[in-house]
Amino acid sequence: MEVSMVTNVRKILKQYHAHNVLIAVSGGVDSIVLTDIVSKIHPKNHMAVVNVDHDLRPESQSEVEFVKKFCEKSQLKFFTSKWDHHQSNLGMEAAARKFRYGYFKQVMDQYGFDTLLTAHHANDLSENILMKLIRSGNVYEVTSLKSHRDFGNGQLLRPLLGFSKNVIKQYANKHDLKHVQDETNFEDITMRNRLRNDIFPQLQEENGQLLRHFKLFDEQAGALIEIANQRFAEIASQMKLLSTNGEITGNLLPVRQLTSNQQTLFWGYVFKQNLVELSISNKQIQQIIDVVMGDKPNGTVNLEHSWNFTRIYDQFKISRIVGDSDFEIEIELGQKYSVNNKIFRLTISTEENATFSVDEIPKHIILRTRQTGDRLTISPSEHQKLSKRFINKKISKEERNKIPILLFDNQIIWVEKIYNLSDYLKKRRIFFKIDFDEV
């Protein structure tokens, strides 16, 4: 199996013309084995290792040091970053993943890597399929872990997807490859761990070909989705489906020829193609189908984040309902923006003139109005709801909807007149100044 694994990695690198490769390495056995294989078949001056310290366990810093020393011994370039646990509306796992892959893209862009390699294997694929079946049953989510996909300005490859964890461990033992072990993997604190430690061993006792069958299911489901999407693209054309100014419109007559079950796939396709950032539940998809196929000429389905699906006779519209005073602006340093009859400008500053300070220049700077769930950091481990701060400051409901809120990478930094992150955390090393003056 070792020869097969090495041959497969070489084949995939060649097939997808991987030249400058960046390998995501946690220090675990999977990523250490992948790095060892690639270092034997690919020029070392065209490869490097990238690592993220999620700072969620006491051992995380020592694990980074382990990977760093491994790279020094292997004569490989090494990049690493530490996640600061910035406030996010996402769950912990999703927020960590967003930071991790965002950093990977940054390193690829900055240093000219065309390919990211990750060490996902057959057990990961099987666990992923079962988790998605349990959580949603949505076929687009169930088949989301692919051996190849576009990533940033390059590509992401998973060359070990066809090999089991046991085969990877056998390779590591044979070549005496040291690696770190995340002990929390053995604690049944997450669904993935419970499936991995309790359910899958029992399933594999029933059939030793389980992992191969999951991979076959993934490949066949993916092929069926490709065929379905080709047909859906034809239907979307017949519907005169348009996506302009953040709004999707079209004619409903062509889609009404599909059965209800076919429409569950079709509307999933529409949202995945046009509004990938919007999470749509199975219940909402069914509500959309009920409105589309119903006898009433008009109907509306409320989606998340103020988005609506609206039927008007034989037409439909997917749009976001925005209040008169609502706004969301992506800010560039030094540029001027008109907000509430004032001019907003954000610049890097000296300490003496600064409005606030942070440790790093953010990747994304957003100025917007309030959203449900907004929270303010008042200590490294404490937060306060923005809605409560508005009440304490006696801000009227009308004014609350107009007040600008500045976010760095999803963390609220400043709220006009009522909040400044620097009032609660120690002084950081990069200083910013806000100018917000009447026109």
Side-chain angles (χ1 to χ4, degrees):
M1 286 300 289
E2 174 186 334
V3 174
S4 175
M5 190 158 58
V6 174
T7 300
N8 190 71
V9 174
R10 180 187 287 112
K11 175 183 175 183
I12 288 179
L13 294 182
K14 183 178 180 180
Q15 178 182 354
Y16 292 105
H17 308 288
H19 181 60
N20 291 320
V21 300
L22 183 67
I23 309 174
V25 177
S26 65
V29 62
D30 315 322
S31 55
I32 291 294
V33 165
L34 177 60
T35 306
D36 184 74
I37 292 173
V38 175
S39 68
K40 292 175 179 176
I41 63 177
H42 198 77
K44 288 189 176 182
N45 60 333
H46 288 288
M47 61 179 289
V49 163
V50 65
N51 166 276
V52 169
D53 177 4
H54 293 100
D55 195 26
L56 294 174
R57 295 177 292 108
E59 305 85 6
S60 64
Q61 182 58 47
S62 63
E63 291 171 358
V64 173
E65 287 301 315
F66 171 85
V67 177
K68 182 180 179 182
K69 290 178 181 178
F70 170 81
C71 290
E72 290 173 352
K73 182 179 178 181
S74 304
Q75 298 180 314
L76 297 173
K77 295 176 185 175
F78 175 64
F79 303 94
T80 189
S81 182
K82 187 174 183 178
W83 184 38
D84 286 337
H85 302 185
H86 283 164
Q87 174 190 345
S88 172
N89 291 329
L90 299 171
M92 180 71 75
E93 186 177 350
R97 186 182 188 281
K98 182 178 180 180
F99 175 84
R100 182 168 64 251
Y101 280 90
Y103 178 63
F104 295 164
K105 287 181 182 177
Q106 178 185 336
V107 173
M108 288 178 71
D109 289 344
Q110 187 171 351
Y111 295 95
F113 293 100
D114 54 72
T115 303
L116 175 70
L117 301 182
T118 67
H120 293 96
H121 47 74
N123 295 68
D124 292 323
L125 177 66
S126 301
E127 291 165 6
N128 191 66
I129 291 172
L130 194 51
M131 283 177 62
K132 296 299 177 64
L133 284 172
I134 292 170
R135 286 175 172 170
S136 74
N138 187 314
V139 69
Y140 287 107
E141 295 181 6
V142 167
T143 60
S144 59
L145 199 62
K146 299 299 181 186
S147 61
H148 169 263
R149 69 175 177 87
D150 293 337
F151 182 73
N153 294 320
Q155 61 182 346
L156 187 155
L157 301 179
R158 299 183 175 105
L160 300 184
L161 269 188
F163 299 90
S164 70
K165 182 84 168 186
N166 283 339
V167 169
I168 293 170
K169 285 181 176 179
Q170 289 169 13
Y171 180 100
N173 292 335
K174 180 177 180 179
H175 295 272
D176 195 27
L177 295 178
K178 306 300 181 185
H179 57 86
V180 301
Q181 178 64 63
D182 181 357
E183 295 299 328
T184 61
N185 285 339
F186 300 107
E187 300 173 3
D188 291 343
I189 55 177
T190 66
M191 182 192 295
R192 184 178 292 278
N193 282 5
R194 290 190 291 274
L195 293 176
R196 178 178 297 163
N197 300 328
D198 302 329
I199 305 302
F200 266 94
Q202 296 181 49
L203 292 177
Q204 287 182 290
E205 285 184 10
E206 296 291 336
N207 191 329
Q209 299 297 311
L210 179 73
L211 299 183
R212 184 174 296 178
H213 292 169
F214 267 106
K215 189 169 190 303
L216 181 63
F217 169 82
D218 180 72
E219 291 169 348
Q220 292 181 346
L224 289 171
I225 288 173
E226 287 180 9
I227 294 171
N229 285 351
Q230 290 173 9
R231 174 64 180 138
F232 292 158
E234 295 172 3
I235 294 173
S237 177
Q238 295 168 11
M239 295 171 69
K240 296 182 171 54
L241 201 63
L242 293 177
S243 179
T244 55
N245 299 322
E247 183 175 283
I248 303 172
T249 59
N251 187 303
L252 287 171
L253 292 179
V255 75
R256 295 182 73 179
Q257 298 173 18
L258 299 176
T259 66
S260 179
N261 287 339
Q262 290 169 345
Q263 283 198 47
T264 62
L265 282 173
F266 175 78
W267 290 112
Y269 163 85
V270 169
F271 283 103
K272 188 174 179 64
Q273 293 293 316
N274 298 279
L275 288 169
V276 67
E277 74 279 4
L278 199 61
S279 177
I280 304 296
S281 68
N282 296 330
K283 181 179 179 180
Q284 289 168 331
I285 291 287
Q286 188 56 54
Q287 289 173 341
I288 289 173
I289 295 170
D290 291 342
V291 167
V292 170
M293 302 301 288
D295 296 330
K296 295 182 179 179
N298 299 288
T300 298
V301 177
N302 295 321
L303 309 175
E304 66 173 14
H305 302 317
S306 302
W307 284 85
N308 280 349
F309 175 96
T310 305
R311 173 187 171 183
I312 310 103
Y313 293 93
D314 291 332
Q315 302 292 317
F316 81 93
K317 176 174 66 174
I318 302 172
S319 59
R320 190 177 184 186
I321 307 303
V322 180
D324 293 339
S325 57
D326 287 355
F327 58 85
E328 181 168 325
I329 308 167
E330 188 162 356
I331 299 296
E332 294 185 16
L333 294 176
Q335 298 296 311
K336 294 181 179 180
Y337 301 89
S338 177
V339 177
N340 296 339
N341 296 318
K342 294 182 179 180
I343 297 298
F344 178 93
R345 185 169 179 259
L346 179 69
T347 54
I348 292 179
S349 168
T350 61
E351 181 177 353
E352 293 75 19
N353 297 321
T355 307
F356 60 85
S357 61
V358 296
D359 278 332
E360 296 181 357
I361 295 178
K363 299 180 183 66
H364 300 288
I365 305 175
I366 297 293
L367 188 71
R368 62 163 171 80
T369 46
R370 65 172 179 161
Q371 294 180 1
T372 302
D374 278 341
R375 297 167 71 85
L376 309 174
T377 300
I378 56 176
S379 80
S381 60
E382 293 181 276
H383 297 86
Q384 180 188 48
K385 290 183 178 180
L386 176 58
S387 57
K388 185 174 181 180
R389 178 64 64 96
F390 279 141
I391 293 171
N392 293 343
K393 294 292 185 179
K394 297 181 170 58
I395 306 296
S396 70
K397 290 184 177 180
E398 181 180 355
E399 288 299 311
R400 294 175 199 177
N401 294 327
K402 298 179 181 179
I403 290 180
I405 301 168
L406 184 68
L407 295 90
F408 278 15
D409 294 332
N410 290 323
Q411 181 182 26
I412 295 178
I413 300 294
W414 171 86
V415 183
E416 185 188 18
K417 298 180 181 177
I418 67 168
Y419 176 77
N420 187 324
L421 179 66
S422 291
D423 293 338
Y424 297 91
L425 301 181
K426 64 181 182 181
K427 190 179 296 181
R428 309 297 180 94
R429 60 188 182 88
I430 302 176
F431 299 92
F432 289 84
K433 182 176 186 291
I434 293 174
D435 293 302
F436 197 38
D437 305 314
E438 297 286 346
V439 176

